[in-house]
Amino acid sequence: MAQRTRPTGRTVLVLLFDDVQSLDVTGPVEVFAGAEKHTPGTYRIRTATLDGAPVRTSSGLTVVPDHALADAPEPDTLVVPGGQGTRDPDPRLTDWLRGHGPRARRLVSVCTGAILLARAGLLDGRRVTTHWAYSGRLARDHPAVDVDPDPIYVRDGHVATSAGVTSGIDLALALVEEDLGRDVALTVARHLVVFLRRPGNQAQFSAQLAAQTARREPLREMQLGAPPTPLRQWGRITEHPGADLGVESLAARASLSPRHFARAFQAETGTTPGRYVDRVRLEHARRLLEDTGDGVEEVSRASGYGTTEAMRRAFVKALGTSPAEYRRRFRPAPAQ
């Protein structure tokens, strides 16, 4: 009886180069490898460098590739990671991408890997993202590319770009879900101890990270809190999103006039009090929908929206989906 041949699966080819960011490589690789273990024969994961020699990552790890690019298999999914090595890449790498990138069914970048794709002319006319710290440079150097600095990943046709480092895991999980279904992606996510995947249009920053830290103590306490005392029971904005967080109330707690408070808050944090509160409330509602069984009405009250319709409008505006649909898609199902 002839031995059954195992199918080779879709080839996922990951480019490697000196000073690559190691997590840009290993994050997506672990996701695709996890899916292959769950459903054998689906993915064939390969790595390649220009000449087949080992490379040293920006954190000092040495990675030995499977192939030289000239000998690498034609990829179904081509993954281009980022890192310091994208600042002044070998022109041969850009030339290879220019010639082989369009042949891939899916062209994927992680972090500043988008800069390599842009240098190869593969992002012109497309909406893309990259690490927030490099989005300005990408937009400035490549005006034909539509750079959105906010989302953690963006899909535009067969091109998918992601933000900094860990967002490559979110994008890879989305691709696995596209290929093999939610159940497989969820199994991989559980194994990696991450959420199934964050929505691509989720902001790269939380409200606390996106805003600068205020210098003045009253404003800083609005953001970061202070040790609890009998006179400071209110605490942080982030801990009490359901409280009265209007400008008048916040100003009174900071012992400032509403006008002075609003101007000072924006000057020192880079955002208005209203926008900061909106973002905190959205993040709080998302966490409750992901992590608890609380009803939508209860979540809306706890998050400071007042009504379910107000929360629905906020979700649709920011995430393009309703709270109920968000919970259905992004809350992990109970373990069997």
Side-chain angles (χ1 to χ4, degrees), residues 235-259:
R236 305 179 186 183
I237 289 175
T238 53
E239 291 178 349
H240 299 275
D244 178 4
L245 301 181
V247 170
E248 292 80 7
S249 177
L250 295 175
R253 288 174 169 87
S255 299
L256 298 171
S257 71
R259 185 177 182 183

Side-chain angles (χ1 to χ4, degrees), residues 204-247:
Q204 295 189 32
F205 281 134
S206 67
Q208 297 92 318
L209 289 176
Q212 306 164 35
T213 300
R215 295 187 302 274
R216 278 181 272 186
E217 184 177 354
L219 300 181
R220 191 164 59 247
E221 289 180 5
M222 292 294 100
Q223 294 179 279
L224 305 179
T229 71
L231 298 178
R232 286 175 174 166
Q233 295 298 323
W234 182 73
R236 305 179 186 183
I237 289 175
T238 53
E239 291 178 349
H240 299 275
D244 178 4
L245 301 181
V247 170

Side-chain angles (χ1 to χ4, degrees), residues 252-304:
R253 288 174 169 87
S255 299
L256 298 171
S257 71
R259 185 177 182 183
H260 187 189
F261 173 81
R263 287 182 173 179
F265 191 97
Q266 182 166 10
E268 295 199 15
T269 68
T271 188
T272 66
R275 290 196 187 106
Y276 185 82
V277 169
D278 286 346
R279 204 156 184 178
V280 165
R281 284 176 167 162
L282 182 69
E283 291 172 5
H284 186 265
R286 282 183 40 250
R287 286 194 294 271
L288 291 180
L289 291 172
E290 292 169 356
D291 299 339
T292 75
D294 295 348
V296 172
E297 185 173 353
E298 186 176 356
V299 170
S300 68
R301 287 198 305 269
S303 303

Side-chain angles (χ1 to χ4, degrees), residues 14 27 121 124 135 154 210 266 276:
V14 184
D124 289 357
S135 59
V154 169
Q266 182 166 10
Y276 185 82

